[in-house]
């Protein structure tokens, strides 16, 4: 079985990509164009996030199944514990296996409606991601990943406690972790050091998002749970009214971040693509991570 870990540990540095499930037929068509575009560059794996509602969840299963069956790519499905009993989670995991998906990112999920609200588990469900890791592991030969937070999870009291919980879920049987967005290489490297200091050497992959517009930058700030470092804000400020120059500077910033992480021995970079290929292709080409020669502007 081609697993995320085997693909990432295969030798040369790699990249991987994340999508969200398409909302409608038009979205689906666009996503498949993106998947086909990126397939040519041989990403190590592609992942599809798991939403809050039933239909979006069905679309995650359908999309990852189709990636597994109809492309040369290694598919990874996300799964959350939100609004699911353990019986339902078993069912979804069974569906993943049935459609050929053997890599699962086990995340707890956020409280529906208000991501910063109080987490209330399903009465017959799970409270934390480490329990979901154990459940997935108990149900078959899956390669399991978890989420990591360079600045600490937004609801954690402090980064050390959060790192203790991260190590706990890695030790519950996770094969790797993917980090939430961050802005400076040191932010990720400090997380890696904290995990290593606890005697844990599980694979950690940094997550990057090409900063192509003011909106993507705002999204990145929101997801990271941190504030934008002044050095980056100053670098982008002159281009507030010039979308092309903003995009060029944003791509430069993410390329430099990726280059620094690779120089520090990170085996792969995971890109949050927002279901678009172009910017990720540019960064991947500039970093020499594509298996197939290509032009950055393609
Ligand atoms: P957990 O590891 O369970 O942690 C949740 C909180 O509880 C943290 O504050 C942690 O420190 C604390 N904690 C952990 N274990 C314990 C314990 N045993 N006792 C007490 N406290 C504990 N969300 C989606 O809805 N769908 C997705 O597809 C999705 N994909 C993601 C992919 C990545 C790479 C990342 C980084 C995040 C993703 N998320 C997704 C968001 C994620 O679901 C939320 O950030 C969620 O709030 C935390 O999930 P977790 O798996 O880290 O939870």
């Amino acid at each position: 079985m081609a697993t995320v870990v085997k693909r990432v540990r295969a030798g040369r540095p790699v990249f991987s990509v994340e999508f969200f499930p398409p909302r409608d037929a038009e979205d689906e068509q666009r996503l498949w164009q993106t998947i086909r575009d990126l397939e040519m560059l041989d990403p190590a794996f592609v992942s599809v996030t798991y939403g809050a509602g039933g239909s979006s969840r069905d679309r995650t299963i359908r999309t990852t199944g189709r990636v597994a069956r109809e492309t040369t790519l290694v598919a990874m499905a996300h799964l959350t514990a939100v609004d699911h009993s353990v019986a339902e989670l078993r069912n979804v995991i069974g569906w993943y296996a049935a459609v050929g998906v053997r890599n699962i990112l086990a995340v707890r999920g956020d409280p529906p409606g208000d991501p910063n609200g109080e987490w209330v588990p399903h009465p017959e469900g799970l409270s934390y991601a480490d329990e979901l890791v154990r459940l997935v592991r108990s149900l078959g030969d899956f390669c399991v990943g978890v989420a990591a937070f360079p600045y600490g999870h937004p609801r954690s009291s402090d980064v050390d406690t959060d790192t203790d919980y991260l190590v706990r879920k890695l030790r519950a049987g996770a094969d790797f972790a993917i980090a939430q967005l961050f802005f400076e290489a040191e932010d990720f490297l400090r997380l890696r050091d904290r995990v290593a200091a606890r005697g844990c050497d599980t694979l950690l992959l940094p997550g990057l998002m090409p900063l192509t517009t003011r909106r993507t930058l705002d999204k990145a700030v929101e997801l990271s749970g941190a504030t934008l470092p002044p050095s980056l804000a100053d670098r982008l400020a002159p281009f507030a009214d010039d979308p092309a120059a903003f995009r060029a500077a944003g791509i430069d910033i993410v390329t430099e971040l990726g280059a620094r992480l690779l120089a520090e021995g990170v085996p792969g970079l995971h890109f949050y693509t927002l279901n678009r290929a172009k910017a990720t292709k540019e960064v991947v080409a500039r970093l020499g991570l594509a298996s197939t020669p290509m032009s950055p502007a393609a």
Side-chain angles (χ1 to χ4, degrees), residues 231-243:
S231 58
L232 291 194
D234 291 348
R235 207 167 146 187
L236 291 166
F239 311 122
D241 298 320
D242 183 345

Side-chain angles (χ1 to χ4, degrees), residues 172-216:
D175 299 288
F176 65 98
I178 301 181
Q180 184 54 281
L181 286 162
F182 59 93
F183 297 106
E184 290 174 307
E186 285 64 28
D187 301 331
F188 176 82
L189 298 171
R190 275 193 286 269
L191 168 73
R192 192 172 73 170
D193 289 347
R194 287 196 302 274
V195 171
R198 285 160 176 79
C200 181
D201 63 356
T202 308
L203 172 67
L204 299 182
L205 289 174
L208 309 183
M209 181 150 81
L211 303 172
T212 51
T213 59
R214 182 72 229 182
R215 237 177 102 220
T216 34

Side-chain angles (χ1 to χ4, degrees), residues 35 49 66 78 92 111 123 131 135 158 227 234 250 254-255 271 290:
I35 292 174
T49 61
R66 201 175 149 196
H78 296 211
V92 179
E131 299 161 43
L135 180 68
D158 58 88
T227 48
D234 291 348
V254 174
T255 306
F271 288 91

